[in-house]
Amino acid sequence: MSRWALPTSWAWSTTAQIAKIVAGGTPSTKQLDFFSESEGTPWITPADLSGFHEKYISRGKRNLTTLGIKNSSAQILPQGAILFSSRAPIGYCVIANNAIATNQGFKNLIVKNGISIDYIWIYFSSAKDYVESVASGTTFKEISASKMQEIEIPIPPLNEQRRIAAKVEALQARSAKAKKALIEAQALLEKFRQSVLAAAFRGDLTARWREEHPDAEPASAFLQRIRKERRKRWEEAQLAKYATKGKTPPKDWKKKYPEPVAVNTEGLPDLPDGWCWASLDELGEIKGGITVNNARNKDELVEVPYLRVANVQNGYLDLSEIKTIFASQQEIDMLSLQIGDVLLNEGGDRDKLGRGWVWEQQIETCIHQNHVFRMRPVLYGDISIYISTYANSFGRKYFIDEGQQTTNLASISLSKIKMLPIPLPNFQEMETIVKKCITLSERIRQIGGDYAEILSHLNQSILSKAFRGKLVAQDPTDEPASVLLERIAAEAAILSASDAKPQQARRGRKTKPGVAPAMVFPAAGREQRLLRLMEYIIYAYPGLSTTVVEEQAKLATYPAVCATLLGSRASTFRKALRESGEGWKFSKADVVRFGRLWESLEANYGIRISSEGLCTMRKGREPAPWPAMDALLPFFNKAYTIFIAKRHKYEDVQVALDSIGVMQKIA
C-alpha cells in the first residue's frame, strides 16, 4: 500500500485492521410495531444525514423497537461508532452520540482500541471520492463490505492521531468562520449588483452615453421597426401555410394579424429622454410548452429532451439533469428552441415565477414544458439578454404581483406575461447596457468564486497535510504506528484462536480429564483489558441482566468462560480473590458497581477510561478511581488459577468452552 509516502513513524493500514465493520438493516415497514417515534433504539438512514452538518448524531426521524431490532439485520452500535453511508449517497459520515442503529445503507465502523475515533472520522469525512472510486453499481454506486475492508488508511502514532484531530478541527473552525464571512460578502455583492441593475434600467448607467450620442435613434423608432418586422414575419408564415395547403390567400387575410398587446403605462415610473415602455408581446412571439401526459400512445411519438422549471434558473440554465418526453413531430417542430429564445417560468413556487435565461442551443433538439414560456424576440442579439436580465431583477415584482397562488402551485397566465412592461432604450444604448451588466456580473461571480476556491483549497490543503504527516510535528518518543498495528493484530489473533471451536471427539470415545491451564490475559497497558475485566465481572452478579453486554458486544472466549464459571459461583470467586494475596477484596457491592458501570458505559454516561485505569462519568458525578491495570491483571490471573485448581473441574471448563465456541468475536 503506497498511495503516498508517509513519515517513518506512520504506517498504511486497512479499515479491517483498525475497526470492526458493521452493516445495518431495515425491518418490514408494513409492521408498525417495529418502529416508534419516541421509544426504542434511534435508527439512522442516509436521508437523516441529508443537510446534516454536525459531527455527532443522536437520533433520526424514527426509532426501532425491540421487535424491530429482532426482526431485522440491524445491530445496536455503541456510542462512538462511526456511521458511514455506503450508498445513495456514499460519503455521509457522523459519530454516534449514543447507542444507535442504521439501515442497510451504511458500513459502520467500531474503531479498535489504540485508534483515535476523531482521526478516523476526519479521514472518512474527506474520503468520499476515494471510496466512490472503488465502489460498484449501475443504478447507483455502493461500497461493498469486502471493498470497505480494503480501504487504505494512513495511521500515525496514537498521540499524533489525537494531535492531528485537534489541529484539523481547530483549523476547520476557522475555515467555517471564513465561509460565513464569504456568505456575508456575497450577499453584499448581490446588493451591489442589484443597485447597478437598478441604475441600468433607470438609464443612470448610460447617462454619459446619451450625452455623447444626442442624435441617436429614439427607442420609439426602434420599437416601430420591431413591430414592422414582427408583422412581416407573421405574413410570411401565413403565406407559407397557404402555399403548403395549395390555397390562395383570401382577400382580407392580412386583417387577421393579431396585434401585440400594448403596454399599460399607468403607474410606471418616468424614463430617460429617448426611452419608451414596451410590452413583452410587442418585442417577440410568446408561446407555452408541452403538457406531460404519460397516457399517450408512445408508438406514434418521438422521445425528445425537454426543459422543466428546475432547469430554468435565475440568470442561467441548469442542464445537469434533462428529462425526456414523448411528443409528436408536429409538437417538436412547433416547440423546438432556437438560439436567442428567452425562457421564463410561469409555474412552481411563487419565487420561481419569471426567472429564466437565454437558450444558446446547448442541445441540438429540445422543447419546453407548459410551465416554461418561450419568448422569441423579433430581433435577436443583445435584446434577449436585456429582457432576461430585466425579468430576473426588477421584472420579478410584476410576476409576483400578477401571479396567482393555489394550494400547491403559483402561476401566471400567458396574457399577463404578454403585458410585462419593459423599459426600452434604443438598440445601441441597449448594447452598451448589456455589455456593462455582463462585465459586472462576471466580475462579481469571479470574486465570489475566487474566495470560494480559496476556502476549498484551504480545506483540501489542511487534510492533505494532515494525512501526509505534515500538519503537526512528529514526536520521536511516540510509539510507532507499526508497533501499534502489530499489537492490534496480535490481540485479534489471540481472540480468534481462543474463540475457535474445539474439535469434537469421535462418537463412542470419552475424553480424559486434563490439567486445567491457567487463564492468562494479554499484556497489560491497554484500555481494552479493563473493558474485558468489566465484561466478565458483570456476570458475577446474578441479579444483573446480561442483555446489555450480549447486544452491544458478543463476548470473546476467555471473558465468556469467566462469565460461565462465575454465573452461579460469585461467592466462591470472591473467596478466590481474597486468597490471591494481592490485597484487593471484592464484595458483592463491588461486583454490582462494576456491572452497573459497564451497563451505563454506552447507554447513559459516556464513561472514559484512561490507560491508567481511571473512569470518569458525566452528569455531575465525581470521578471514580479504579486500580491500575498493571495491578489488576496479575491479580485476576492468580485468582483465576486458584479458582480453577481448587474449586472447579476441568471438564466443566471444557463444557463452557464448547458452549460459547460459536459466539462472535470482538473485532
Side-chain angles (χ1 to χ4, degrees):
M1 294 180 288
S2 55
R3 291 178 63 204
W4 56 75
L6 297 177
T8 55
S9 60
W10 289 41
W12 281 104
S13 180
T14 62
T15 311
Q17 290 176 281
I18 58 92
K20 178 182 179 181
I21 301 173
V22 182
T26 303
S28 172
T29 55
K30 296 179 181 179
Q31 295 292 120
L32 298 181
D33 55 351
F34 289 171
F35 298 90
S36 172
E37 295 294 330
S38 58
E39 299 178 352
T41 301
W43 184 63
I44 307 298
T45 70
D48 292 318
L49 300 183
S50 176
F52 188 85
H53 302 294
E54 302 298 323
K55 178 178 179 180
Y56 297 96
I57 191 167
S58 298
R59 59 162 296 148
K61 291 183 179 179
R62 291 187 290 177
N63 297 345
L64 294 185
T65 63
T66 302
L67 280 176
I69 293 288
K70 289 182 178 180
N71 288 276
S72 72
S73 58
Q75 299 186 46
I76 300 177
L77 302 165
Q79 179 187 30
I82 296 175
L83 317 183
F84 185 83
S85 65
S86 55
R87 66 178 185 183
I90 293 173
Y92 289 149
C93 190
V94 293
I95 299 176
N97 201 34
N98 40 254
I100 214 163
T102 70
N103 76 350
Q104 64 275 17
F106 288 84
K107 296 295 183 293
N108 306 299
L109 309 179
I110 301 177
V111 178
K112 295 181 180 179
N113 199 33
I115 302 295
S116 166
I117 294 173
D118 293 329
Y119 176 83
I120 299 301
W121 171 75
I122 291 171
Y123 180 78
F124 274 95
S125 294
S126 62
K128 178 181 179 180
D129 291 342
Y130 167 45
V131 177
E132 280 188 336
S133 70
V134 298
S136 58
T138 53
T139 304
F140 53 80
K141 282 195 170 186
E142 179 175 10
I143 181 75
S144 64
S146 59
K147 288 294 185 181
M148 190 68 177
Q149 290 178 342
E150 298 171 359
I151 294 296
E152 298 174 2
I153 307 171
I155 301 295
L158 177 57
N159 288 334
E160 191 171 346
Q161 292 175 37
R162 293 165 175 162
R163 294 197 300 272
I164 289 172
K167 186 71 172 179
V168 167
E169 293 195 20
L171 292 175
Q172 288 183 337
R174 293 184 183 180
S175 177
K177 291 181 180 179
K179 183 177 181 180
K180 182 180 178 182
L182 172 61
I183 293 173
E184 293 173 353
Q186 288 175 329
L188 291 174
L189 287 173
E190 177 59 23
K191 286 183 179 180
F192 173 66
R193 189 179 78 91
Q194 290 294 331
S195 66
V196 173
L197 291 176
F201 296 117
R202 287 195 308 264
D204 297 347
L205 196 63
T206 48
R208 178 172 293 182
W209 185 93
R210 290 193 299 276
E211 292 175 0
E212 295 172 352
H213 300 81
D215 299 326
E217 176 190 51
S220 57
F222 176 41
L223 180 59
Q224 285 302 316
R225 286 196 295 114
I226 292 175
R227 292 173 66 97
K228 184 177 180 180
E229 179 65 21
R230 185 182 189 277
R231 181 175 187 114
K232 176 185 174 183
R233 291 187 182 182
W234 178 86
E235 291 178 354
E236 290 174 348
Q238 291 299 111
L239 289 173
K241 287 181 181 179
Y242 288 126
T244 301
K245 296 178 180 179
K247 295 182 179 180
T248 301
K251 182 179 179 181
D252 297 330
W253 68 276
K254 291 185 179 181
K255 293 182 179 180
K256 295 182 180 180
Y257 172 67
E259 291 288 344
V261 177
V263 67
N264 180 9
T265 59
E266 184 179 351
L268 295 177
D270 294 334
L271 295 175
D273 291 340
W275 287 40
C276 71
W277 286 100
S279 70
L280 190 64
D281 194 33
E282 289 179 296
L283 302 179
E285 174 204 9
I286 303 172
K287 198 169 193 62
I290 191 170
T291 301
V292 178
N293 184 359
N294 296 324
R296 302 173 75 182
N297 186 355
K298 296 180 181 179
D299 294 336
E300 302 174 359
L301 304 175
V302 179
E303 189 175 11
V304 62
Y306 78 106
L307 298 186
R308 302 164 292 127
V309 170
N311 300 121
V312 183
Q313 299 291 323
N314 189 331
Y316 68 98
L317 299 179
D318 181 0
L319 306 181
S320 58
E321 182 184 2
I322 298 181
K323 295 189 176 182
T324 60
I325 193 172
F326 286 89
S328 67
Q329 190 58 53
Q330 182 182 5
E331 289 171 325
I332 295 174
D333 294 340
M334 182 173 57
L335 298 176
S336 287
L337 297 172
Q338 298 179 8
I339 295 176
D341 283 352
V342 176
L343 297 167
L344 298 170
N345 286 333
E346 70 84 19
D349 297 332
R350 201 171 189 84
D351 64 337
K352 295 180 177 63
L353 296 180
R355 75 180 186 188
W357 196 239
V358 182
W359 180 253
E360 297 175 349
Q361 205 66 40
Q362 293 92 330
I363 300 174
E364 185 175 351
T365 301
C366 186
I367 63 177
H368 54 102
Q369 73 165 165
N370 58 316
H371 292 308
V372 177
F373 278 118
R374 177 200 76 196
M375 184 273 186
R376 183 166 292 167
V378 173
L379 299 179
Y380 293 141
D382 288 338
I383 192 170
S384 298
I385 298 177
Y386 181 86
I387 292 171
S388 291
T389 303
Y390 178 78
N392 283 327
S393 54
F394 294 93
R396 295 295 298 281
K397 185 178 184 303
Y398 175 85
F399 285 96
I400 293 173
D401 291 344
E402 299 295 334
Q404 294 182 344
Q405 180 73 54
T406 60
T407 303
N408 299 317
L409 184 71
S411 63
I412 186 169
S413 65
L414 175 61
S415 60
K416 292 291 186 181
I417 288 182
K418 287 182 177 182
M419 295 171 62
L420 171 67
I422 306 288
L424 189 69
N426 70 57
F427 186 72
Q428 291 77 18
E429 188 174 356
M430 180 187 295
E431 287 182 322
T432 303
I433 291 172
V434 168
K435 183 178 180 180
K436 289 188 176 185
C437 287
I438 289 177
T439 301
L440 170 72
S441 296
E442 289 179 350
R443 181 56 182 154
I444 290 175
R445 191 161 41 245
Q446 180 183 359
I447 293 172
D450 287 346
Y451 280 116
E453 186 176 5
I454 290 171
L455 284 179
S456 175
H457 287 171
L458 175 60
N459 287 332
Q460 291 174 7
S461 175
I462 291 171
L463 296 171
S464 177
K465 289 181 178 180
F467 300 123
R468 284 170 170 78
K470 298 179 180 180
L471 187 65
V472 299
Q474 275 85 51
D475 187 340
T477 63
D478 285 344
E479 177 188 62
S482 58
V483 177
L484 169 64
L485 293 174
E486 286 174 4
R487 187 164 60 251
I488 292 174
E491 288 179 1
I494 290 172
L495 294 177
S496 178
S498 63
D499 271 345
K501 187 174 182 179
Q503 185 176 1
Q504 277 189 332
R506 293 183 181 178
R507 183 175 295 179
R509 293 188 180 184
K510 295 182 178 180
T511 56
K512 296 181 179 180
V515 179
M519 185 65 174
V520 180
F521 288 91
R526 302 298 306 282
E527 298 171 13
Q528 192 173 1
R529 297 304 108 215
L530 188 55
L531 288 177
R532 291 289 190 266
L533 296 178
M534 290 183 182
E535 286 175 6
Y536 73 75
I537 286 178
I538 186 176
Y539 282 89
Y541 176 53
L544 184 65
S545 170
T546 61
T547 304
V548 175
V549 176
E550 290 174 348
E551 286 290 339
Q552 297 186 358
K554 301 299 183 183
L555 298 179
T557 297
Y558 73 87
V561 172
C562 291
T564 303
L565 297 176
L566 300 179
S568 61
R569 300 176 176 84
S571 60
T572 305
F573 182 66
R574 287 198 299 274
K575 186 175 181 181
L577 296 179
R578 290 196 295 272
E579 293 178 3
S580 66
E582 298 292 338
W584 299 103
K585 296 181 179 180
F586 280 82
S587 64
K588 184 175 181 180
D590 293 323
V591 177
V592 174
R593 183 183 180 203
F594 265 106
R596 288 180 177 169
L597 179 61
W598 169 256
E599 185 179 27
S600 64
L601 181 64
E602 303 293 302
N604 299 319
Y605 303 112
I607 295 173
R608 299 281 181 180
I609 305 173
S610 70
S611 58
E612 293 77 26
L614 297 179
C615 300
T616 306
M617 293 189 288
R618 300 195 191 114
K619 296 191 176 179
R621 295 173 180 259
E622 293 296 324
W626 295 91
M629 293 172 64
D630 289 343
L632 273 175
L633 290 174
F635 164 58
F636 275 102
N637 280 330
K638 189 170 182 180
Y640 185 81
T641 303
I642 295 171
F643 181 58
I644 291 295
K646 294 185 177 181
R647 293 174 173 79
H648 212 69
K649 295 180 180 180
Y650 175 75
E651 290 90 343
D652 291 337
V653 177
Q654 191 64 51
V655 170
L657 281 169
D658 291 341
S659 69
I660 52 91
V662 295
M663 298 181 72
Q664 274 185 269
K665 297 185 290 290
I666 294 179

